C-alpha cells in the first residue's frame, strides 16, 4: 500500500469515526428530550416539562415553538450566552428553580420571556439588562 493510499484510508476511517460519534450525540440528545413531557394546550400554548430529570443543561431538540419550559429540580449550573434557550423564540415562561445555578446571563434568553423563576439556586448576583426582567 502506498503512503497516499494509507493516508486516504486513514482519512476515511477518521470520517467514519466522527460520523458515528455525531450520530451517538444526536441519539443521546433525542433520548434526553424524549424524557420531557410535551403538552399542547389551547391558544397554541406548548409546554415542555423537563423537571426532575437530572439534566445538566437545557435540552436542545424540543419543539422550537414551546411557550413554557419547566427545567426545575435538575442540576443545571449555568445559563450563559450560547445555551439553547435563545432558539425557543416564542418562550414566555421559564422555570429554572431548584437547580444548582451559580451563573446566569440575561443574553441567553429570548426576547419573548415574560416570567422567569430562579428561586432555590446558588446565585449570588444576577446581572440584567434594564427592562429585560422585572421583579414580580
Amino acid at each position: 500500500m502506498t503512503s497516499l493510499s494509507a493516508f486516504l484510508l486513514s482519512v476515511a476511517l477518521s470520517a467514519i469515526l466522527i460520523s458515528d460519534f455525531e450520530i451517538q450525540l444526536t441519539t443521546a440528545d433525542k433520548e434526553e428530550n424524549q424524557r420531557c413531557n410535551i403538552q399542547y394546550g389551547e391558544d397554541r400554548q406548548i409546554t415542555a416539562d423537563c423537571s426532575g430529570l437530572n439534566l445538566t443543561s437545557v435540552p436542545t431538540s424540543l419543539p422550537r415553538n414551546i411557550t413554557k419550559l419547566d427545567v426545575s429540580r435538575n442540576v443545571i449550573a449555568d445559563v450563559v450566552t450560547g445555551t439553547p434557550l435563545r432558539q425557543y423564540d416564542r418562550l414566555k415562561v421559564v422555570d429554572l428553580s431548584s437547580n444548582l445555578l451559580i451563573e446566569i446571563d440575561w443574553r441567553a434568553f429570548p426576547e419573548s420571556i415574560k416570567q422567569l423563576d430562579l428561586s432555590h439556586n446558588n446565585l449570588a448576583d444576577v446581572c440584567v439588562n434594564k427592562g429585560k426582567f422585572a421583579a414580580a
Side-chain angles (χ1 to χ4, degrees), residues 76-129:
I76 300 171
D78 59 31
V79 177
V80 294
T81 305
T83 58
L85 275 172
R86 286 196 70 84
Q87 72 186 7
Y88 305 122
D89 59 358
R90 294 185 184 169
L91 197 55
K92 301 209 180 313
V93 178
V94 178
D95 186 349
L96 278 158
S97 65
S98 301
N99 273 282
L100 302 175
L101 285 174
I102 56 173
E103 183 179 6
I104 190 167
D105 186 337
W106 62 269
R107 294 170 292 193
F109 295 89
E111 294 292 325
S112 58
I113 295 291
K114 302 291 183 209
Q115 182 179 343
L116 175 63
D117 187 346
L118 299 173
S119 62
H120 306 287
N121 279 290
N122 298 322
L123 291 168
D125 189 25
V126 178
C127 180
V128 296
N129 185 17

Side-chain angles (χ1 to χ4, degrees), residues 60-81:
T60 58
S61 324
L62 298 170
R64 296 266 194 253
N65 57 343
I66 58 173
T67 55
K68 181 178 181 183
L69 175 61
D70 184 352
V71 285
S72 64
R73 299 183 339 267
N74 282 293
V75 291
I76 300 171
D78 59 31
V79 177
V80 294
T81 305

Side-chain angles (χ1 to χ4, degrees), residues 15-86:
I16 290 169
L17 290 173
I18 290 170
S19 175
D20 286 344
F21 182 68
E22 289 175 355
I23 290 169
Q24 289 173 359
L25 284 178
T26 302
T27 302
D29 188 42
K30 286 181 181 175
E31 287 173 2
E32 175 181 273
N33 293 327
Q34 285 175 353
R35 296 186 301 171
C36 296
N37 182 21
I38 309 297
Q39 297 175 343
Y40 297 87
E42 296 177 13
D43 300 327
R44 300 183 199 185
Q45 300 298 312
I46 302 172
T47 300
D49 182 357
C50 306
S51 60
L53 297 177
N54 207 33
L55 300 177
T56 58
S57 63
V58 173
T60 58
S61 324
L62 298 170
R64 296 266 194 253
N65 57 343
I66 58 173
T67 55
K68 181 178 181 183
L69 175 61
D70 184 352
V71 285
S72 64
R73 299 183 339 267
N74 282 293
V75 291
I76 300 171
D78 59 31
V79 177
V80 294
T81 305
T83 58
L85 275 172
R86 286 196 70 84

